[in-house]
Each structure stands twice: as C-alpha cells, then as structure tokens.
Amino acid sequence: MFQHVDAYPGDPILTLNEDFQKDPRTNKINLSIGIYFDDLGRLPVMAAVREAESAMLSSIGPKPYQPMTGAINYCEAVQHLLFGADSEALRSGRIATLQTLGGSGALKVGADFLKRYFPDSQVWVSDPTWDNHRAIFEGAGFVVNTYPYYDAERGGLNFAAMLDAIKALPRHSVVLLHACCHNPTGVDLSAAQWAELIPVLREGGLLPYLDIAYQGFGDGIVEDTHAIRALADADVPFFVANSFSKSFSLYGERVGGLSVVCPDKDQAGRVFGQLMFAVRRNYSSPPTHGGQIVARVLRTPALYKLWSDELAGMCERIQAMRRRLHDGLVQRVPGRDFSYFLTQRGMFSYTGLSAEQADVLREQHGVYVLRSGRMCVAGLNNGNVDRVAEALAAVL
Ligand code: KET
C-alpha cells in the first residue's frame, strides 16, 4: 500500500536539532536551531512567564473550546504590540487578527486563504530565507520563487537588485518579507530602504506578507515593528505572521498570530470570516494556555516591564557573544574580515561556511551549525565561545 511513499530526507533545521540531541559527545555545542539559551546553556523560563503562569494555576477553571480565531484578549494584545494602540488602521477596525499555532501556523492559515482567493498568484521569498517558508507556501499549492536579497561578497543587502525584481512582479504576487532580524542572514532593510520599497509594493498591487518571529531581538520591541507600522500607515493591504516562540521562550506552547490589514472594515470582516474557515478546516481552534500566558504579560504593565527588560538583557547577551566570537576569530585567523558577526542582527549569523565545512565542524568538533552556514549566535555562552572560535578557525 505504501510502497510509493518516499523516504523523508529530514528537515534542515529540526532534524539536525534532533541529531544533536542524539549525539553522545558531552562537549557538543548546538548552534543550529533558532532557540535562545542563557549563559549556562539552559532554555530560560522568563520571569514574567513564570509569574503569569503561576497566577493562572492558582485559579484553574474549565477548559472549553476557544473560538476558531482564538481568544479576543490575546488578539487585542497582539494588535497593540504590532501596530500600536493608537494605530489608525486598528481604530478604523480594518485589521483582522487571529491566534494561531505559532508563526508557522499563521503562515499556513494565511497561505491557505491566499491560495483560495488569489489562485493564480505566485509567491516570492528572499534569497535566502527560512527554509520552511518555501515548504509552507508550496504545501498550500503555490509556486515559490526568490528575489535577490543577500550580497555574499559584501555580507550585506543587495537592495537595488531586490527592488528591481519586486518592481517587475505581476500584480497580486505575494511578497514574503522579514519584518526584522532576517533569518538566516541577520541583514535587514533600513528605515530608508523600507520607505523606498513600500510605494513599489503599493503601486505594483502586490501582497506583502511579513513574518516577525524575532520581535525585540533587533533594535527593541517597538522599533522592530517599524516595517509593519510603516506599511499600515501607507494604506497597503498586507499580512503579518507573528510568533512568540523566541521572544517569550514559549517554543512548545505554539503561540503566534496572523493579522491581515485590509482597505476597510467591511473587507476586514469578510477576510476574518474566511480566515476562520481556514482554521476550522485545518485544526478547528487554537489551544488556550500559551496564548493566555502571553495575553496576561502583555496586558499587565508590571509583567510587560519584567518581560521587556529580560528580553533586552537577552539581546545584550547575544551582542556580547557576537563580540567575543569576533575577537576570538580575529586573533586566531589574522587578516580575515569577521565584522559580519558584529553587524548582523538578531539570533543568527550567516558565516559563509560551506555545507562541507559545516559537516566537518559537526563531525570533528561537535559544533552544530546549519549546512547553509547559518549559526545561531544565541547558543553561544561564556563557557563555549572560545571552543567555537577554535573550531571555526580550524575549518576556515
Ligand atoms: N518565521 C521565522 C522567520 C522563523 O525563523 C521561525 C522559526 C518561524 C517563523 C516559526 O516560528 P514558530 O512560532 O515556532 O512556528 N525558526 C526556527 C525554528 C524552526 O525552524 O522551526 C529556526 O529557524 O531555527
């Protein structure tokens, strides 16, 4: 019966992470998956999350199904966080927001909706992008293409080529954009570049689809929403998939959201209804617990402060690790430019390592990075950074 089923080659990120767990070496170092670890290499439980969850446990209640679109208090908190409480688009009721199963669930529900109402559109993602973008949109039935993004020679953004490619797209093409902390390159558009891109998106009748999975890991919680707020102000209809996996260290709770900014309230109502139907046909309704942790933190000023302070501290630690790795490499491999470790933003650095070098790093040194050369710098700590510098110097 299943003879024709192909063997699954595995996922470039999740399977590597599982291989790491199985690796018996005690000195192994995991810089593969995008997960923030603390300086002792532990997955943190954030203080605000602990407080919110403790409060929730002290009043355990019944557990009905949630609405298909999730909890209203959660969706409102997401809207305020992404768009700002005084956003015009929000006040005019033209943003449809639902609670989803992480950022991935948001991307998938939005992709299903788009395939239904824009069946002839194709999707355009940055070259490179998070591996699962392609998989999710192809899984929803789209042809997925790339637009130029990363300039490997300069270690920066090839903005002119990106803009030219996007200018040439047919109307209603879906353009996937990273709102901040681009995965995997750590290279973002500046505010001035967004200001140049946005009219191109609007005039081309394109459908921007923003992904924000690292809010707070760039310039700050509000600063990292710059692109989202600028698009909303520019009257461009667009999609935003957001994730709290990293910013709340709530990976396994699957907490995310999908917001669609529409031209007016009436269209937002209809879009909301069809997104609801897309959810119903996928998984019916989202789980309660994780969303309520996040809603409680975002809506309680003292907890919000605790959360934002801790998140800022996590960013500082990542920056400190970027500096230590950079300095360690400059010392060991003189004459080579490692400044990209300092300029790339968010959780990742794109090292330029080849797949073969990544294999040697893993097999001989127990240091796991993706075969694309992406390194999760949030997995570095004071106890392992020198060994990583040593191992990198050996394979370069
Ligand atoms: N978008 C981006 C850009 C992203 O990097 C991730 C996860 C997600 C969405 C998914 O978020 P979630 O809320 O967990 O569904 N990225 C890391 C983990 C993974 O591949 O699933 C990673 O790149 O390592």
Side-chain angles (χ1 to χ4, degrees):
M1 185 66 84
F2 303 119
Q3 208 56 45
H4 60 296
V5 176
D6 312 319
Y8 178 47
D11 181 78
I13 301 176
L14 295 188
T15 306
L16 192 62
N17 187 50
E18 283 163 24
D19 291 347
F20 175 84
Q21 310 302 336
K22 289 181 210 144
D23 188 332
R25 289 175 287 183
T26 51
N27 62 350
K28 59 187 179 176
I29 298 170
N30 192 2
L31 308 177
S32 63
I33 194 164
I35 290 185
Y36 176 91
F37 294 100
D38 67 14
D39 201 48
L40 295 173
R42 297 169 310 197
L43 192 64
V45 179
M46 294 179 80
V49 167
R50 195 183 289 279
E51 274 199 29
E53 208 163 13
S54 305
M56 285 159 67
L57 284 173
S58 66
S59 59
I60 294 174
K63 303 196 187 301
Y65 286 126
Q66 288 217 93
M68 292 174 267
T69 49
I72 291 170
N73 65 345
Y74 171 86
C75 293
E76 275 177 8
V78 167
Q79 291 181 329
H80 289 184
L81 185 71
L82 296 182
F83 300 96
D86 57 354
S87 146
E88 174 281 316
L90 198 53
R91 277 188 281 117
S92 14
R94 57 188 186 89
I95 308 182
T97 298
L98 49 151
Q99 180 183 345
T100 58
L101 277 74
S104 309
L107 288 163
K108 168 66 173 156
V109 169
D112 282 352
F113 168 88
L114 283 167
K115 188 63 199 170
R116 184 134 187 249
Y117 288 99
F118 298 87
D120 302 325
S121 292
Q122 297 195 359
V123 174
W124 299 77
V125 300
S126 60
D127 177 19
T129 192
W130 179 47
D131 294 289
N132 214 23
H133 280 148
R134 175 176 288 280
I136 288 173
F137 283 95
E138 284 180 352
F142 281 106
V143 171
V144 178
N145 313 278
T146 57
Y147 57 82
Y149 190 83
Y150 185 64
D151 177 348
E153 230 155 77
R154 288 187 308 113
L157 180 65
N158 194 349
F159 185 62
M162 172 185 180
L163 207 58
D164 282 349
I166 292 177
K167 270 184 192 156
L169 297 183
R171 291 184 77 73
H172 297 173
S173 294
V174 178
V175 185
L176 199 125
L177 296 156
H178 299 233
C180 69
C181 305
H182 184 270
N183 174 8
T185 65
V187 174
D188 286 336
L189 274 70
S190 66
Q193 288 167 331
W194 281 110
E196 243 185 285
L197 176 63
I198 288 171
V200 171
L201 296 166
R202 186 179 47 222
E203 275 129 48
L206 302 173
L207 275 165
Y209 200 140
L210 269 63
D211 183 349
I212 179 158
Y214 301 92
Q215 186 177 2
F217 285 94
D219 291 333
I221 293 167
V222 173
E223 291 81 351
D224 288 349
T225 63
H226 171 78
I228 295 170
R229 295 182 188 200
L231 270 166
D233 288 346
D235 258 340
V236 183
F238 69 104
F239 285 61
V240 191
N242 77 281
S243 166
F244 293 116
S245 297
K246 338 265 169 176
S247 56
F248 274 79
S249 194
L250 280 174
Y251 305 88
E253 292 288 352
R254 313 307 298 132
V255 206
L258 175 65
S259 298
V260 185
V261 179
C262 302
D264 58 42
K265 190 176 176 178
D266 172 62
Q267 292 181 55
R270 281 184 274 157
V271 168
F272 189 64
Q274 288 301 331
L275 290 170
M276 192 184 295
F277 185 39
V279 167
R280 178 62 166 156
R281 298 200 293 181
N282 264 300
Y283 52 83
S284 195
S285 62
T288 314
H289 189 73
Q292 285 309 300
I293 298 173
V294 169
R296 195 177 273 260
V297 172
L298 292 180
R299 295 162 67 94
T300 312
L303 292 183
Y304 185 100
K305 171 136 191 358
L306 198 57
W307 168 65
S308 56
D309 287 350
E310 189 169 351
L311 186 53
M314 287 155 69
C315 289
E316 276 165 31
R317 200 191 77 72
I318 294 176
Q319 288 306 333
M321 286 305 113
R322 286 185 178 279
R323 282 192 295 274
R324 267 200 71 176
L325 183 61
H326 170 266
D327 296 352
L329 281 166
V330 166
Q331 236 175 42
R332 289 175 174 88
V333 192
R336 196 173 164 131
D337 182 18
F338 291 108
S339 58
Y340 58 85
F341 278 114
L342 302 176
T343 53
Q344 293 173 343
R345 300 142 50 83
M347 273 198 186
F348 304 114
S349 264
Y350 210 46
T351 60
L353 286 174
S354 66
E356 291 69 31
Q357 286 171 317
D359 291 342
V360 175
L361 206 57
R362 185 180 66 254
E363 285 159 12
Q364 296 184 9
H365 303 274
V367 176
Y368 283 63
V369 301
L370 298 193
R371 298 191 79 235
S372 65
R374 186 192 85 176
M375 170 192 287
C376 179
V377 284
L380 293 171
N381 59 52
N382 279 303
N384 68 19
V385 63
D386 288 334
R387 272 195 295 131
V388 171
E390 196 69 38
L392 273 173
V395 302
L396 283 170

